[in-house]
Amino acid sequence: MKKSIGISIICFLAVLSGTILSQQENSKVRIGTFDSHCIAMAYGRTDFLKDIEELRTQHAKAKEEGNQELIKELEQLGPTKQVLMHQQGFSTGSITNILEKIKEKFPAIAKENNLKLIVSKWEVMFADESLELVDITDQLTALFNPDEATRKIIESVKAMEPVPIEKISINPMN
C-alpha cells in the first residue's frame, strides 16, 4: 500500500509539474502588432478617397459662395492630407488619425486574440522572450472593407520595407 501511495504521489507530482511547465510556456504576454503602412493603404483606397471627394465638394461650394477664408483653408488641407497619407502609406508615419475611425473595434480584437496591448510593429524596438508578438494586420485592414485590388496591394506592401520617413517629400507635387 505504501508503494502505491508513493507511486500515486510521484504520478501526481509529474502531472502537476507538467501542468506548471505548460502554464509557464503559455504565460507569455500577447502583444498585437500591425503593419501601419498596410492599414494606411486599406484606408487610403477606401475612406481617404471619400474624404478627398468631400474636400473637393466643400471647396466647390466655398467658391460658389465666395468664402475666401474657407477656400484658403481647404486649399491647404488637401495637400497636407496628401503628404500625411504618403508618410503613412509608404513610410512609418503615425496612423492615429486612421485608427480613430476603428478604435471601437480594438477591445473585441484584443479579446479575440488574448492581447494586452496593440501597437505598430514599427514602434517595437525591443521585446524579450516573455512577450509574444501577434500580427493582427489582416484583421485591422479588413475593417476598411478593401476590395480585391486593394487586398493585392496590401499583400505587396507587406513584403516592402517602408521608405525612411525623412525621404518622404513634404511637397505633394514631388
Side-chain angles (χ1 to χ4, degrees):
M1 183 155 158
K2 286 183 181 180
K3 205 175 199 182
S4 68
I5 292 175
I7 292 173
S8 295
I9 291 173
I10 290 172
C11 288
F12 173 75
L13 290 174
V15 168
L16 181 62
S17 67
T19 303
I20 290 170
L21 284 174
S22 157
Q23 286 177 345
Q24 286 176 340
E25 288 174 13
N26 293 331
S27 67
K28 290 185 175 190
V29 175
R30 291 172 54 93
I31 306 296
T33 63
F34 58 85
D35 186 330
S36 59
H37 66 294
C38 289
I39 310 299
M41 284 294 173
Y43 166 73
R45 299 218 358 125
T46 57
D47 293 7
F48 178 75
L49 296 176
K50 293 174 193 167
D51 290 350
I52 293 298
E53 189 56 41
E54 175 62 27
L55 280 178
R56 287 184 180 132
T57 302
Q58 289 176 6
H59 186 261
K61 184 177 179 188
K63 275 188 163 182
E64 283 177 19
E65 296 171 351
N67 186 339
Q68 295 304 315
E69 187 176 321
L70 183 56
I71 292 169
K72 185 177 178 180
E73 179 184 328
L74 294 171
E75 286 177 352
Q76 182 175 349
L77 186 57
T80 299
K81 282 183 172 260
Q82 188 67 44
V83 168
L84 180 60
M85 194 65 209
H86 284 170
Q87 290 173 341
Q88 294 169 327
F90 301 109
S91 187
T92 58
S94 172
I95 63 168
T96 54
N97 64 315
I98 297 170
L99 297 177
E100 277 293 316
K101 297 173 182 309
I102 57 172
K103 71 180 180 182
E104 74 281 352
K105 306 285 187 184
F106 278 73
I109 290 171
K111 184 176 181 180
E112 177 184 335
N113 292 283
N114 190 28
L115 304 173
K116 301 298 179 200
L117 178 73
I118 298 174
V119 63
S120 168
K121 76 179 205 172
W122 309 115
E123 300 298 326
V124 177
M125 297 297 126
F126 171 79
D128 72 18
E129 64 278 350
S130 68
L131 301 176
E132 180 182 354
L133 302 180
V134 180
D135 187 344
I136 59 167
T137 301
D138 291 340
Q139 287 176 282
L140 296 179
T141 58
L143 297 175
F144 292 99
N145 302 310
D147 59 19
E148 184 61 31
T150 301
R151 285 193 294 275
K152 285 180 181 177
I153 290 169
I154 290 167
E155 284 305 311
S156 68
V157 167
K158 283 181 186 179
M160 296 180 199
E161 283 296 313
V163 174
I165 199 157
E166 61 273 7
K167 296 210 177 193
I168 300 290
S169 175
I170 59 170
N171 181 348
M173 301 314 232
N174 290 339

